[in-house]
Amino acid sequence: MSAQQNETGMRIETDILIVGGGLVGLTLGRALALKGIRSVAVDREPAESQTDAAYDGRGSAIALGSKQLLDRIGLWDRIAPEAGPILDIRVSDGDSRLFLHYDHREVGDQPMGWIVENTVTRRALFDGLAEVPGLTLLAPMSVATLERRQDGVAATLADGRTVTARLAIAADGRGSRLREEAGIKVTRWSYGQTGIVCSVSMERPHRNIAHERFLPAGPFALLPMTGIPGHPNRASIVWTERDDLVPQMLALDDDAFSAEMNRRFGDYCGRLTLLGRRWHYPLSLLLAERMTDRRLALVGDAAHGIHPIAGQGLNLGLRDVEVLVELLAEAHGLGLDLGSAALLADYDRRRRVDTMTLVAATDGLNRLFSNDIVPVRLARRLGLAAVNQLPPLKRLFMRHAMGTIGG
């Protein structure tokens, strides 16, 4: 059953109000609808612009655990044709001959993950809205005011309509207005780095191997994608660079930019040739001191923003979704309050360790590898080689990367 409106259409009643209709917000709404829980998602951007190729050049690494969630909610079949599987991961420190190699066959027969362009996932979510009448998307639209009461929430939209629900979900990104209005403090800092994102055509087959090469300015990742006509060996580049050098890199013409990419990555995959435009995003850390307040839960980037060094940002948000849907579905089945303090406390507790662990790990890895101090460089290269020779430890790291443990 979809959200109910009164006779004038000015008042909408639903179970859950989701502020933010991005990747995490709409995945949450879809998963809830399939459990019989109605939700209204409100987003400032029209769907048409969010699926435009020029909107967002980023791709996301979808770990095996996240893929299983997307499969359960009937979304993966829409994504799979454009999802590039990651069969192996090769981690190296600069031009060192010592490296760490993850082979998916060491832990099973499934890929370790998939590289999917964000526009592909958004398109799948928008195209699938008709399948889940329990989810209503209002876009473009914004929330003018939100009142969180003891017994529920009431939002006034920019067009004057009101939405009442039992619980509000902040899925409105790192600059979350709902989080700020709730007085939830955050820990945040800038890394002084920018992520340059683009697609490239590779001279040699990528063989579904993801490469992460650590350089003094930050990691340089080459991630296998599905091919397109004329470019069967396509990959996504996530190039971390110092903020002060980024303007001159972006000012280079395509040939000079490709030359800089090749100089940093080497010739392991043959020549890399730029495809299309480039995007750039400042890199920072953000961690909310708590993930809940009265009648409010934070998910995704509203709760945590991490360095892309391990490609786990979206996966962390999808694990928020899994836990929250499980708790809400259980409460719904028992006829309990979907916004109760006990439910929200349980959500915050269950997500705290996983979130803190991944925030600390990504921050620590970036600090460890984004420097050129000789003793540190020697130690980390020996460390990579040592882990490569310890199969039990390597399998543990692989399962964490695949999202099959630790959530």
Side-chain angles (χ1 to χ4, degrees), residues 269-352:
C269 298
R271 179 166 176 77
L272 307 178
T273 303
L274 178 67
L275 294 177
R277 60 172 291 188
R278 316 159 211 171
W279 288 263
H280 62 285
Y281 303 93
L283 303 182
S284 61
L285 178 144
L286 181 144
L287 178 64
E289 67 174 3
R290 63 184 189 277
M291 295 181 66
T292 62
D293 200 73
R294 184 172 69 179
R295 298 281 167 182
L296 176 69
L298 312 185
V299 295
D301 285 354
H304 39 64
I306 62 176
H307 197 284
I309 192 169
Q312 291 297 312
L314 178 59
N315 296 303
L316 191 59
L318 293 180
R319 292 207 288 273
D320 296 342
V321 169
E322 279 206 279
V323 171
L324 192 53
V325 169
E326 178 185 337
L327 292 171
L328 289 170
E330 181 180 7
H332 180 69
L334 294 172
L336 301 177
D337 183 358
L338 298 182
S340 72
L343 184 152
L344 292 172
D346 202 8
Y347 170 66
D348 185 73
R349 177 185 60 81
R350 289 179 58 178
R351 293 302 301 134
R352 181 58 47 182

Side-chain angles (χ1 to χ4, degrees), residues 15-21 24-26 28-29 32 38-42 143 146 148 153 165-173 176 178-179 291-292 294-300 302 320-321 324-325 328 338-339 343-344 347:
D15 298 317
I16 307 292
L17 169 64
I18 303 171
V19 180
V24 173
L26 285 186
L28 172 64
L32 289 172
R38 302 169 303 161
S39 63
V40 170
V42 181
V143 173
L146 176 66
R148 294 181 291 115
V153 301
R166 305 299 292 174
L167 176 68
I169 308 292
D172 49 347
S176 172
L178 266 62
R179 183 192 66 227
M291 295 181 66
T292 62
R294 184 172 69 179
R295 298 281 167 182
L296 176 69
L298 312 185
V299 295
D320 296 342
V321 169
L324 192 53
V325 169
L328 289 170
L338 298 182
L343 184 152
L344 292 172
Y347 170 66

Side-chain angles (χ1 to χ4, degrees), residues 65-99:
S66 296
K67 179 261 184 186
Q68 291 168 344
L69 165 65
L70 297 175
D71 211 5
R72 287 196 298 274
I73 64 174
L75 202 64
W76 185 250
D77 284 347
R78 293 179 175 274
I79 296 171
E82 297 179 81
I86 301 172
L87 300 183
D88 292 35
I89 300 175
R90 182 174 175 135
V91 183
S92 59
D93 188 16
D95 57 1
S96 171
R97 293 175 180 268
L98 303 176
F99 61 87

Side-chain angles (χ1 to χ4, degrees), residues 43-312:
D43 197 90
R44 293 175 176 274
E45 296 285 339
E48 297 77 16
S49 65
Q50 293 191 56
T51 55
D52 189 281
Y55 180 79
D56 180 0
R58 290 171 293 185
S60 294
I62 305 294
L64 176 60
S66 296
K67 179 261 184 186
Q68 291 168 344
L69 165 65
L70 297 175
D71 211 5
R72 287 196 298 274
I73 64 174
L75 202 64
W76 185 250
D77 284 347
R78 293 179 175 274
I79 296 171
E82 297 179 81
I86 301 172
L87 300 183
D88 292 35
I89 300 175
R90 182 174 175 135
V91 183
S92 59
D93 188 16
D95 57 1
S96 171
R97 293 175 180 268
L98 303 176
F99 61 87
L100 176 59
H101 180 222
Y102 293 139
D103 185 333
H104 76 289
R105 293 171 295 186
E106 295 182 42
V107 290
D109 57 0
Q110 290 276 350
M112 297 184 64
W114 290 259
I115 299 299
V116 183
E117 293 167 280
N118 288 352
T119 51
V120 169
T121 307
R122 287 194 188 94
R123 188 168 62 245
L125 284 163
F126 291 133
D127 290 349
L129 284 171
E131 303 167 351
V132 283
L135 169 60
T136 301
L137 173 64
L138 304 179
M141 184 54 60
S142 62
V143 173
T145 63
L146 176 66
E147 185 180 356
R148 294 181 291 115
R149 307 163 180 161
Q150 289 294 338
D151 59 346
V153 301
T156 302
L157 303 182
D159 63 0
R161 285 181 291 175
T162 61
V163 180
T164 58
R166 305 299 292 174
L167 176 68
I169 308 292
D172 49 347
R174 291 193 182 211
S176 172
R177 176 183 153 200
L178 266 62
R179 183 192 66 227
E180 293 180 0
E181 288 180 350
I184 299 175
K185 297 179 181 178
V186 298
T187 298
R188 71 170 91 212
W189 57 73
S190 169
Y191 285 112
Q193 299 169 319
T194 295
I196 302 173
V197 179
C198 60
S199 296
V200 298
S201 180
M202 301 166 59
E203 184 179 11
R204 298 177 193 150
H206 56 55
R207 295 180 295 165
N208 297 106
I209 301 174
H211 297 265
E212 184 120 44
R213 174 163 291 186
F214 291 111
L215 301 171
F220 188 103
L222 186 147
L223 310 168
M225 302 172 70
T226 53
I228 58 175
H231 302 285
N233 297 298
R234 194 168 60 116
S236 174
I237 293 289
V238 183
W239 168 0
T240 305
E241 189 53 82
R242 297 199 327 256
D243 286 346
D244 59 323
L245 291 179
V246 170
Q248 66 189 74
M249 294 299 166
L250 295 175
L252 297 172
D253 63 30
D254 288 355
D255 288 342
F257 185 82
S258 295
E260 286 292 334
M261 283 193 299
N262 284 280
R263 186 170 70 83
R264 282 163 173 74
F265 189 72
D267 63 356
Y268 183 85
C269 298
R271 179 166 176 77
L272 307 178
T273 303
L274 178 67
L275 294 177
R277 60 172 291 188
R278 316 159 211 171
W279 288 263
H280 62 285
Y281 303 93
L283 303 182
S284 61
L285 178 144
L286 181 144
L287 178 64
E289 67 174 3
R290 63 184 189 277
M291 295 181 66
T292 62
D293 200 73
R294 184 172 69 179
R295 298 281 167 182
L296 176 69
L298 312 185
V299 295
D301 285 354
H304 39 64
I306 62 176
H307 197 284
I309 192 169
Q312 291 297 312

